Amino acid sequence: MSLQQFLGIELPIIQAPMAGSQGSALAIAVASAGGLGSLPCALLSPQAMREELTALKAQARRPFNVNFFCHAPPAVSEEREALWRAALSPYYKEYGIDASAISTGPGRAPFSIANTDLLSEFKPAVVSFHFGLPAPELLARVRALGAKILASATTVAEALWLEAQGVDAIIAQGAEAGGHRGIFLTEDPTTQVGTFALLPQIAKRVRVPVIAAGGIADARGVAAAMALGAAGVQIGTAYLLCPEATTSAVHRAALKSEAASHTAITNVFTGRLARGIVNRIMRELGPISNIAPAFPLAAAAVLPLRAKAESAGSGDFSSLWSGQNASGCREIPAAQLTRELAGQ
Ligand SMILES: Cc1cc2nc3c(=O)[nH]c(=O)nc-3n(C[C@H](O)[C@H](O)[C@H](O)COP(=O)(O)O)c2cc1C
């Protein structure tokens, strides 16, 4: 059975969930072209999640994917937080920010039992997870709703682990990919390889369908991934300039500029590895910082800087997530982009 038949879609194209850069509008547009649209929930309040799911259900009228992060919430380390704020203090001074008024807090909640209750109202065809999987009892609830379960693997070991937990398909996320790395069994960055190294190795070892992600930006890239054993592709960066995406002005400007040819994997925005366009905070404190608090705690102290800088038109403190191949980013409707990616 093809991935399309398995997921109830027409094209083997999954629009990657991109928290902070899109809501239901992008997913609806992709679904209208026959691809699988995705709704990222990592940054949504329960109320916003309900609104987006309501819009998606009413307007997509086709299968869609709902995506969650499923990290274990970290213990707060006062010491680490203090070190992080000290590292950021020159910037607070520069922007006139009162550091004592900045709250600490998670910002990104992992998948929870409340989420399963909400999903039971909307019954999505597909649910995907990043950073491993939720606890077995939560996963069983999702499965009981009839949803197909997808999750990202960044190594062969992660793919084998996900298959053993019974996922329905594995997203092989190569190192080129924009945004957070799904890495969850190790913290060793030397395990992170490119899509065309990772994909055939995973495809050889698992029986479930494999979806290629990372660096795919046009129909030839899609065809190449299929030739290496992918049953479909998951594409993020190429959708970021579509009018239906909510990509910020500074992010759009960076993607359209020469800056987009300089990306790096960094942990300075959230505490977890993610690929973005190199900017001031990445250059000066990273790209990898050994004092950034654990995911997602690093984010709270950076957010006020981001807000101030963005209001002055600067992306110096913004997470400008992008994969290594931004050449597919075009300001065209997402439905058209989806068809073109499928070679239509
Ligand atoms: C702006 C942005 C945000 C992302 N946010 C998420 C997310 O919320 N959940 C997720 O599973 N993956 C997320 N990703 C990773 C994608 O699922 C996917 O692995 C990646 O976009 C594929 O590589 P590409 O960007 O080169 O197409 C994000 C990627 C980008 C570019």
Side-chain angles (χ1 to χ4, degrees):
M1 192 193 289
S2 69
L3 186 74
Q4 293 92 300
Q5 288 168 322
F6 188 56
L7 300 180
I9 53 178
E10 287 154 37
L11 306 174
I13 311 285
I14 300 176
Q15 163 253 313
M18 296 186 286
S21 294
Q22 54 121 168
S24 55
L26 185 67
I28 291 163
V30 171
S32 76
L36 186 70
S38 302
L39 178 71
C41 292
L43 289 167
L44 299 183
S45 66
Q47 177 60 23
M49 223 181 278
R50 175 178 292 282
E51 285 167 13
E52 293 285 49
L53 284 167
T54 303
L56 199 43
K57 186 100 186 166
Q59 292 170 56
R61 284 180 265 112
R62 290 184 182 204
F64 56 83
N65 169 35
V66 187
N67 168 263
F68 297 91
F69 287 175
C70 50
H71 52 285
V76 176
S77 157
E78 306 263 331
E79 192 194 342
R80 197 86 171 261
E81 190 63 36
L83 281 172
W84 188 228
R85 283 169 185 243
L88 293 169
S89 65
Y91 305 123
Y92 294 147
K93 205 174 286 171
E94 184 180 326
Y95 279 95
I97 293 168
D98 174 9
S100 65
I102 301 170
S103 60
T104 30
R108 287 165 178 82
F111 187 69
S112 67
I113 201 147
N115 294 144
T116 65
D117 291 341
L118 191 62
L119 289 180
S120 70
E121 289 177 43
F122 293 93
K123 300 225 167 22
V126 181
V127 174
S128 74
F129 294 105
H130 217 41
F131 314 141
L133 289 170
E137 57 277 18
L138 286 185
L139 194 64
R141 280 175 178 246
V142 179
R143 196 179 301 286
L145 300 175
K148 300 279 191 305
I149 295 167
L150 273 47
S152 300
T154 67
T155 63
V156 174
E158 288 176 352
L160 293 171
W161 186 90
L162 291 171
E163 184 179 47
Q165 313 307 309
V167 302
D168 295 295
I170 289 168
I171 302 155
Q173 190 197 33
E176 300 93 322
H180 280 99
R181 309 227 22 82
I183 183 170
F184 63 95
L185 281 185
T186 170
E187 293 192 350
D188 180 356
T190 65
T191 60
Q192 301 296 284
V193 300
T195 303
F196 278 16
L198 182 67
L199 168 65
Q201 294 191 70
I202 291 181
K204 205 186 291 174
R205 298 288 299 279
V206 302
R207 282 181 301 273
V208 294
V210 181
I211 295 154
I216 301 170
D218 56 23
R220 292 208 296 187
V222 174
M226 303 299 236
L228 283 179
V233 296
Q234 176 160 303
I235 295 176
T237 300
Y239 283 100
L240 285 171
L241 293 185
C242 291
E244 298 91 341
T246 59
T247 314
S248 69
V250 293
H251 197 174
R252 284 179 190 264
L255 286 163
K256 287 193 261 183
S257 75
E258 199 272 329
S261 43
H262 305 270
T263 67
I265 291 176
T266 184
N267 67 346
V268 299
F269 295 104
T270 65
R272 214 171 168 122
L273 300 180
R275 183 178 292 283
I277 296 171
V278 176
N279 61 359
R280 183 175 171 199
I281 185 173
M282 284 167 70
R283 262 194 308 273
E284 295 180 5
L285 296 187
I288 305 295
S289 162
N290 53 18
I291 56 166
F295 181 89
L297 299 171
V302 181
L303 281 178
L305 285 164
R306 171 188 181 147
K308 280 272 188 178
E310 283 196 9
S311 67
S314 159
D316 280 354
F317 296 91
S318 305
S319 49
L320 305 170
W321 300 147
S322 170
Q324 286 180 330
N325 188 356
S327 69
C329 293
R330 287 153 66 209
E331 293 167 296
I332 59 171
Q336 184 187 341
L337 179 59
T338 304
R339 284 190 289 269
E340 290 188 15
L341 287 166
Q344 290 190 340

